[in-house]
Amino acid sequence: MLSTGPLLLLASLVTYAYSATFNISTTGGNASSPLLYGLMFEDINNSGDGGIHGQLLKNNGFQGDSPGLTGYASVGGTSLSQDTTVNLTTAIQSSLKVSVPSGTTASVGFSNSGYGGVPVNAGTYANYFYIKGNYSGTVTLKLVGSTSGTVFATHDVTVTSSSAAWTYVETSFTASQSPDGSNVWQLLFDGSKVAGSALWFDLVQLFPETYHGRFNGIRNDVGEFLEAIGGSFLRFPGGNNLEGGSPGARWKWNETIGPLENRPGRQGDWSYPNTDALGLMEYLQWCDDMSLTPVLAIWSGLSLGGGIISGTALDPYVDDALNELEFLLGSTSTTYGALRASYGHAAAYDIPYIEIGNEDNLSSGCSTYASRFTAFYDAIHAAYPSIQIIASTSEDSCLPDPLPSGVWTDIHHYLSPSGFVSMFDEFDNYPRTTGYGIFVGEYANTETDSGTQLSWSNVQGAVSEAVYMIGLERNSDLVKLASYAPLLEHFGLAEWSPDLVGLSSAPDSLTGSVSYYVQKLFSNARGDTIRAVSADVDFGPLYWVASSTTGGIWYVKVANYGTDSQNVTVKIPTASGLSGTAALQLLSGSAGTSNGPDAVNVQPANSTLTGSATAGWTFDIPAYGVAVFTASPA
Ligand code: AHR
């Protein structure tokens, strides 16, 4: 007697705690932001140069603070130096001098080892370089295993060059597959013709297949991997990398456009040089090709090194932002619109969103941001009233009071798993002011609950992000945009972790983190209306959101942030015309499991459920799991 009562009670509690039924309403609901999920990109972790950008050779324009001979090595006894007396242009201020010892008879030259090796895959490579010095003969371009010496490509091109001017060479060749990423690119010439003298080279460039076949484009494999996320927007070019270590070192739009020969590059904020070959127009090409809406960040007067420009000293920078917008939006009869046309893009771009600065609540920026923001806002809004302007912080104390009507604000979260779960209802009670919106411009689980920094996202953290994203989606009348950050890292060259995607120079190295798969699941299952759900359990450890499309597709996203499996039934009792089968995508794993270099341990699994709208569809979500349920018309 004594034991029966509590046991029965326990049994009923257990049953209740481990199952849930969701009844989805087919009436009412909130319109969801059509752009909710997107991508945030800046060159961090060699995610631009050495990452998504197609150009594979390092230090090809001797840019940044102290380029030296990084990436280069002699082949065949030449001696190499960075020659600051022989420049390609006023932007590319030095070149590679290749001195050939007297008496040389062999084929000699130099190599470049790329970013942690040159990725060599079976396929076509485009190769460009500048040469100066007296030479007439064959130049051989090779892709070679660094230690194996295996030649994966060799290609001869006939070159006639002189010491009077630079000669530009462009060619292409095919390569066979290298087993690894430990490869170099070589440029060789007939040493007997240069013995006792030298040749100069500059802007050597090697491209694999590019996304949409673009000249100076992004890598096709990386582009396709990111496209699969299904994002709607691209925030660029930063992030901290917008800001500069000093005002003079900020990202300057006008130094990232036009011929590469005119782009000086800069020392990026993440302690390596940026070539800026991935420049303003390349970002917008990426947007066009991936159907992403640009969210363009402009410099707000704040630099990371503490240099802040405010007051009337900011005026030239406001003018510079207007020039940038004239370049992007102006007719071809304007100065900068004409410049854009001269670079091959006569049509104006579409720039619907501009963010003023990055994290102006930090780096001592708060006290001046209201006035700095206002200076940019007033000028841009007057000239382009239809552009949606976003402030780089949501902290009231850093913003103008009142905030101009219609301005949105950005908020960033790098949190522990518990931190994200506690933020599930962050926006539930946020004031809804007409025209106001939130951009969660950066978020990621970066540490465990006990404070250990993560190198790579794990299942618990990714599920906690899913919980948070469910909260965002439930509030996507207010939350307009959200992007995980950072997007990409080159393994071994990362300053910041975790990152959504990683790669190295090795074949098939592109790796989606567990968070990547959560982003992909959520982004590709978006309704336009968020629907009310009546549930027989409270939030925690299960979290959910339901939505539908005008085409009659129903989505239910569920995160199980608990250590027990949960049995879930989804009913849409008043829906008609739905198929009896529904699709389920399920991601789960043990809490600490990660995907990393050469190890994809966690990916979603797909299955088909049988049921009906009224009787429901039932499935289990394991501990630390994320499910996306899809019911479609019959
Ligand atoms: O995403 C990495 C960095 O985190 C961004 O550059 C910056 O905006 C934030 O502090």
Side-chain angles (χ1 to χ4, degrees):
M1 279 289 287
L2 270 178
S3 61
T4 310
L7 272 181
L8 281 175
L9 180 61
L10 187 61
S12 69
L13 279 177
V14 166
T15 306
Y16 183 73
Y18 292 91
S19 69
T21 298
F22 303 138
N23 276 288
I24 316 300
S25 169
T26 55
T27 57
N30 281 336
S32 177
S33 167
L35 295 184
L36 182 61
Y37 297 120
L39 310 180
M40 186 278 174
F41 184 86
E42 65 175 320
D43 202 331
I44 179 174
N45 310 311
N46 278 107
S47 58
D49 294 320
I52 193 169
H53 189 249
Q55 206 291 107
L56 302 173
L57 305 179
K58 194 170 193 175
N59 195 21
N60 69 341
F62 301 92
Q63 290 143 309
D65 283 350
S66 50
L69 290 174
T70 303
Y72 295 101
S74 158
V75 177
T78 57
S79 98
L80 307 183
S81 58
Q82 179 196 350
D83 193 340
T84 52
T85 67
V86 179
N87 62 320
L88 179 64
T89 58
T90 50
I92 304 295
Q93 293 183 338
S94 51
S95 60
L96 181 71
K97 181 178 182 184
V98 182
S99 303
V100 181
S102 303
T104 298
T105 55
S107 182
V108 298
F110 64 97
S111 66
N112 188 293
S113 54
Y115 296 87
V118 175
V120 175
N121 296 303
T124 304
Y125 285 78
N127 215 163
Y128 316 110
F129 61 90
Y130 281 92
I131 178 171
K132 196 172 191 183
N134 296 322
Y135 186 75
S136 181
T138 299
V139 166
T140 303
L141 305 164
K142 286 187 176 183
L143 292 170
V144 180
S146 311
T147 47
S148 65
T150 307
V151 176
F152 299 105
T154 181
H155 175 68
D156 289 346
V157 53
T158 302
V159 172
T160 303
S161 65
S162 82
S163 54
W166 286 98
T167 298
Y168 179 59
V169 178
E170 52 184 357
T171 188
S172 65
F173 55 81
T174 57
S176 58
Q177 183 67 45
S178 166
D180 54 38
S182 182
N183 309 295
V184 295
W185 169 85
Q186 292 181 342
L187 186 153
L188 306 171
F189 51 87
D190 183 346
S192 70
K193 297 186 176 183
V194 194
S197 181
L199 293 175
W200 287 259
F201 295 87
D202 225 334
L203 268 192
V204 293
Q205 298 174 65
L206 178 72
F207 283 87
E209 187 187 352
T210 57
Y211 187 62
H212 288 232
R214 301 296 176 192
F215 176 75
N216 187 36
I218 61 174
R219 277 172 55 164
N220 187 53
D221 53 352
V222 183
E224 288 185 346
F225 202 76
L226 297 182
E227 181 184 316
I229 295 172
S232 295
F233 67 88
L234 180 69
R235 173 182 177 229
F236 67 93
N240 289 151
N241 204 37
L242 169 72
E243 296 171 50
S246 65
R250 71 192 185 280
W251 186 88
K252 298 178 187 134
W253 70 274
N254 56 318
E255 294 188 355
T256 75
I257 55 173
L260 297 176
E261 296 78 356
N262 296 348
R263 304 188 196 182
R266 59 185 274 265
Q267 186 68 23
D269 287 278
W270 295 102
S271 69
Y272 58 87
N274 292 181
T275 66
D276 287 332
L278 175 57
L280 181 57
M281 294 179 81
E282 286 77 22
Y283 280 119
L284 292 166
Q285 184 73 69
W286 171 3
C287 288
D288 264 5
D289 289 344
M290 214 177 274
S291 300
L292 301 171
T293 298
V295 179
L296 173 66
I298 58 165
W299 194 70
S300 63
L302 175 73
S303 69
L304 276 177
I308 296 177
I309 299 199
S310 60
T312 53
L314 202 55
D315 292 352
Y317 300 92
V318 174
D319 290 345
D320 189 52
L322 291 175
N323 291 343
E324 180 176 1
L325 290 176
E326 183 179 291
F327 177 79
L328 296 170
L329 302 169
S331 89
T332 53
S333 61
T334 62
T335 305
Y336 290 103
L339 183 62
R340 179 191 70 238
S342 78
Y343 293 157
H345 205 289
Y349 290 100
D350 185 24
I351 307 291
Y353 299 94
I354 287 192
E355 179 158 6
I356 297 177
N358 176 62
E359 294 186 338
D360 283 87
N361 51 320
L362 304 179
S363 311
S364 309
C366 180
S367 60
T368 51
Y369 187 57
S371 64
R372 289 184 289 113
F373 173 86
T374 301
F376 284 98
Y377 173 83
D378 285 351
I380 294 171
H381 188 63
Y384 304 97
S386 64
I387 292 182
Q388 174 63 57
I389 294 188
I390 305 171
S392 76
T393 174
S394 294
E395 281 183 31
D396 285 342
S397 60
C398 312
L399 292 168
D401 183 14
L403 191 64
S405 165
V407 167
W408 296 356
T409 64
D410 190 350
I411 193 163
H412 296 174
H413 289 309
Y414 293 104
L415 300 173
S416 66
S418 299
F420 273 119
V421 173
S422 72
M423 289 283 194
F424 168 68
D425 61 356
E426 181 180 20
F427 299 111
D428 283 5
N429 301 306
Y430 230 75
R432 264 61 176 171
T433 311
T434 307
Y436 178 62
I438 290 275
F439 178 17
V440 184
E442 299 178 23
Y443 66 96
N445 165 229
T446 48
E447 60 179 26
T448 65
D449 279 342
S450 55
T452 304
Q453 175 69 37
L454 295 170
S455 302
W456 199 241
S457 83
N458 63 29
V459 170
Q460 183 180 4
V463 176
S464 78
E465 290 159 4
V467 171
Y468 181 65
M469 292 163 75
I470 287 171
L472 298 183
E473 201 164 320
R474 293 177 71 243
N475 288 281
S476 58
D477 57 326
L478 170 72
V479 179
K480 307 295 186 183
L481 314 156
S483 41
Y484 182 103
L487 182 63
L488 181 62
E489 73 173 75
H490 189 120
F491 295 132
L493 300 176
E495 300 84 29
W496 182 290
S497 62
D499 301 292
L500 198 64
V501 173
L503 57 74
S504 71
S505 299
D508 302 322
S509 63
L510 264 173
T511 305
S513 65
V514 186
S515 298
Y516 167 85
Y517 289 105
V518 167
Q519 292 289 323
K520 192 174 166 184
L521 282 176
F522 275 33
S523 189
N524 283 297
R526 280 193 259 173
D528 39 56
T529 306
I530 305 300
R531 299 293 191 170
V533 178
S534 112
D536 56 359
V537 294
D538 289 332
F539 288 123
L542 283 182
Y543 298 85
W544 58 86
V545 61
S547 63
S548 64
T549 70
T550 45
I553 299 174
W554 294 80
Y555 297 112
V556 183
K557 294 169 179 153
V558 189
N560 177 7
Y561 188 74
T563 51
D564 296 299
S565 183
Q566 299 277 347
N567 184 258
V568 167
T569 299
V570 171
K571 296 182 180 177
I572 318 173
T574 50
S576 58
L578 288 179
S579 164
T581 58
L584 185 73
Q585 295 167 284
L586 193 59
L587 176 141
S588 70
S590 61
T593 307
S594 294
N595 295 340
D598 301 320
V600 179
N601 300 307
V602 183
Q603 286 195 77
N606 298 332
S607 59
T608 303
L609 306 172
T610 305
S612 71
T614 38
W617 292 268
T618 298
F619 53 93
D620 288 330
I621 309 184
Y624 292 120
V626 175
V628 174
F629 165 93
T630 307
S632 303

